[in-house]
């Protein structure tokens, strides 16, 4: 039971050495943007049903929301990436982390346009944050794959002949109805962040911090003795 709760805590929490921007705010916002855009495009342009599990969803709403979400991801990442209180990794509960070097992901790079574009428009290029390319991947997932979490929830509700999981939010159902896609997005955001965003090199400080948080005093003493034996054997072997 303890190991299971630990896995879920690591999956959905914002760890102390990660930025709020990458782990939570951007992925959650993209799901909300996709929901609003799908409703807007479906309401005004929807004609073709998308899936029988959700009769009100249309292809026009799905495609329009996908385009809007990807564009919003690219623009939104540039706006949020310029606030250090969102991009600085939190080390403790003090306010010292509000000023930091956020790293290369949040340092603007100038992207030059091809030669023929400045002839027609006054712009020679745009300033792009490297994190915006990662945001495009999150936007694609939020607009194409994450909605299937809602489709699955719709099928589940239809199987039990209920309209909503609850009534805590008037007109929108319960909390679960608002977060069915967020669950899928949370898993993807965590895996993507750990695989493609977080540096894969480990410093001594990172390893020591993990040891202090994960091992009790007896286990730390055993580790100390084992490391001493290994270092002694290596030193003896080299000599």
């Amino acid at each position: 039971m303890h190991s299971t709760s630990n896995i879920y805590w690591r999956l959905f929490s914002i760890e102390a050495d990660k930025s709020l921007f990458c782990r939570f705010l951007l992925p959650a916002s993209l799901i909300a943007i996709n929901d609003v855009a799908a409703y807007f495009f479906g309401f005004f342009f929807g004609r073709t049903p998308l899936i029988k599990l959700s009769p009100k969803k249309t292809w026009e709403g799905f495609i329009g929301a996908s385009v809007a979400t990807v564009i919003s991801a690219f623009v939104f990442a540039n706006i949020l990436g310029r606030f250090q209180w969102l991009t600085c990794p939190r080390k403790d509960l003090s306010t010292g982390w509000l000023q930091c070097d956020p790293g290369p992901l949040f340092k603007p790079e100038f992207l030059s346009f091809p030669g023929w574009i400045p002839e027609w428009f006054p712009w020679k290029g745009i300033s792009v944050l490297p994190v915006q390319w990662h945001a495009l991947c999150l936007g694609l997932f939020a607009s194409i794959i994450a909605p299937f979490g809602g489709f699955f929830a719709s099928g589940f509700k239809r199987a039990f002949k209920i309209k909503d999981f609850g009534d805590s939010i008037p007109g929108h159902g319960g909390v679960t109805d608002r977060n069915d896609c967020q669950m899928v997005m949370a898993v993807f955001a965590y895996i993507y962040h750990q695989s493609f965003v977080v540096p894969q090199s480990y410093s001594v400080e990172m390893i020591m911090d993990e040891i202090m948080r994960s091992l009790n005093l007896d286990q730390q003493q055993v580790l100390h003795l084992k490391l001493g034996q290994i270092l002694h054997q290596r030193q003896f072997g080299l000599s």
Side-chain angles (χ1 to χ4, degrees), residues 68 128 183:
V128 178
M183 300 299 181

Side-chain angles (χ1 to χ4, degrees), residues 4-147:
T4 303
S5 60
N6 187 47
I7 291 173
Y8 276 97
W9 170 254
R10 285 181 174 273
L11 186 60
F12 294 107
S13 67
I14 304 171
E15 295 178 6
D17 58 343
K18 306 297 187 294
S19 66
L20 177 66
F21 169 81
C22 288
R23 287 293 301 278
F24 173 73
L25 188 57
L26 180 63
S29 299
L30 293 180
I31 293 296
I33 291 172
N34 185 259
D35 283 343
V36 173
Y39 177 82
F40 176 84
F41 283 98
F43 182 82
F44 288 101
F45 308 105
R47 296 293 184 274
T48 311
L50 175 63
I51 187 171
K52 291 183 178 180
L53 290 175
S54 297
K56 294 184 179 180
K57 291 182 172 61
T58 62
W59 275 106
E60 291 81 4
F62 182 78
I63 296 173
S66 299
V67 175
T69 302
V70 172
I71 295 175
S72 299
F74 192 78
V75 176
F76 203 44
N78 186 283
I79 296 173
L80 295 181
R82 299 180 184 275
F83 294 93
Q84 286 199 349
W85 65 276
L86 291 176
T87 59
C88 287
R90 295 188 295 112
K91 299 299 182 182
D92 49 45
L93 296 179
S94 67
T95 58
W97 56 272
L98 289 174
Q99 299 293 329
C100 70
D101 179 8
L105 281 177
F106 301 100
K107 293 181 179 178
E109 297 178 352
F110 188 79
L111 182 64
S112 300
F113 291 147
W116 59 271
I117 294 183
E119 296 179 1
W120 294 88
F121 302 97
W123 309 293
K124 295 182 179 180
I126 58 174
S127 179
V128 178
L129 300 178
V131 74
Q132 288 180 258
W133 308 118
H134 295 292
L136 285 179
C137 296
L138 294 175
L140 285 171
F141 186 89
S143 58
I144 298 176
I145 307 299

